[in-house]
Amino acid sequence: MTDAEPFEAFVRRYQDMVFATAVRLLGNEADAEDVAQTVFLKAFQRFAQIESSPAAAGWLKAVARNTCLNHLSRYRARLRFFSELGSDRDAMGEEFEASLPSEIAPAPLDERERHEQLEAALRALPDHQRVPLVLFHFEELSYQEIASALGITLAKAKTDIHRGRNALRTLLAGDHAAR
Amino acid sequence: MRPDELEPLVARKLADLPVPRAPETLLPRVMAAVAEWTARPWYTRAWLTWPLSLQIASAAALLLFVGAAAFGMTHAALRPAALMTSAAEQVRAAGAAVQTAAAAFEALWRGLVRPVAPYALAIVSMMCAACAACGAALNQIVMGRTAQR
């Protein structure tokens, strides 16, 4: 069996990357920590193969992404249901946008605070908007790949991503104006 | 903001976000989970994580088991045919015994019964005729007495 020390160094090297993928997809730090633990346990079981592999980071990212999608799959039917309720979904989006601060006070916000606010807004998006948005912008999946991964149509993937961007628009517009 | 400005703006802003830091508790949790997993007996882990020698041995045992099961099922499939063969043999044997008995009866008939059969038949016929005559005479006597009463 592998020694613990090289594996500990391995976890230290990649833990932020795995956690970031998980927390942005799941929008929840506790769930993200559980998923990250699962991912590293899988990595430990194959440590002999991936330890020195240049594809280790890609492998970890893919496993983290799939584990998150599996984690979310139990809610996927509900997600689809809400997502396909046209007017209700619009109402949810509007409700979320209304919950964002309409006026971002530019002066007191430094860059770190703006980042924290955007990160928080991203995590607060409804699952059906956040997940495809994160897959597109952070995981760099195509619309078609996102549609396949989530089991939805291409048009719906595009619509959900667009609505997710729209939901962040108020915050970004304020930020944009502040510069 | 125009719609065509939205996508690049979101992409740029999200790309600027720093990578969220993993909590301090993650590493100890992972190492504890690894220690717990390592302490578990090999047979409670996923097959793909078993030692190579055990994977080979278990695969061989599985093949042996499947082979034995397939052989057993084939054998079971042949058993009715074997039973039918056995039944046919028994019928054939019974037929042969009947044939032997018939041959013995024929030999007995030819050697012992047929030479005396006409005489026996004549004796039996005479005895039957005597019985009939006796019966008729007896009936005449009895009936005549009854009629005379």
Side-chain angles (χ1 to χ4, degrees), chain B residues 61-95:
Chain B
L62 182 67
L63 280 175
L64 195 66
F65 175 77
V66 170
F71 176 78
M73 288 180 72
T74 310
H75 186 67
L78 287 176
R79 276 188 72 187
L83 286 172
M84 285 179 71
T85 307
S86 170
E89 276 175 3
Q90 283 181 352
V91 168
R92 251 200 313 274

Side-chain angles (χ1 to χ4, degrees), chain B residues 43-131:
Chain B
Y43 52 83
T44 62
R45 302 175 196 159
W47 184 81
L48 285 173
T49 64
W50 288 9
L52 184 63
S53 56
L54 290 171
Q55 282 185 342
I56 293 170
S58 61
L62 182 67
L63 280 175
L64 195 66
F65 175 77
V66 170
F71 176 78
M73 288 180 72
T74 310
H75 186 67
L78 287 176
R79 276 188 72 187
L83 286 172
M84 285 179 71
T85 307
S86 170
E89 276 175 3
Q90 283 181 352
V91 168
R92 251 200 313 274
V98 168
Q99 254 182 338
T100 306
F105 181 74
E106 193 182 6
L108 196 65
W109 171 265
R110 282 183 188 164
L112 292 175
V113 179
R114 199 166 62 180
V116 298
Y119 304 108
L121 185 61
I123 292 169
V124 169
S125 299
M126 285 170 62
M127 287 179 69
C128 287
C131 285

Side-chain angles (χ1 to χ4, degrees), chain A residues 73-92:
Chain A
S73 65
R74 76 184 75 163
Y75 305 109
R76 198 167 287 164
R78 193 178 64 180
L79 176 111
R80 195 172 298 148
F81 172 75
F82 281 120
S83 182
E84 286 173 0
L85 286 176
S87 57
D88 287 356
R89 183 176 61 177
D90 292 344
M92 283 174 68

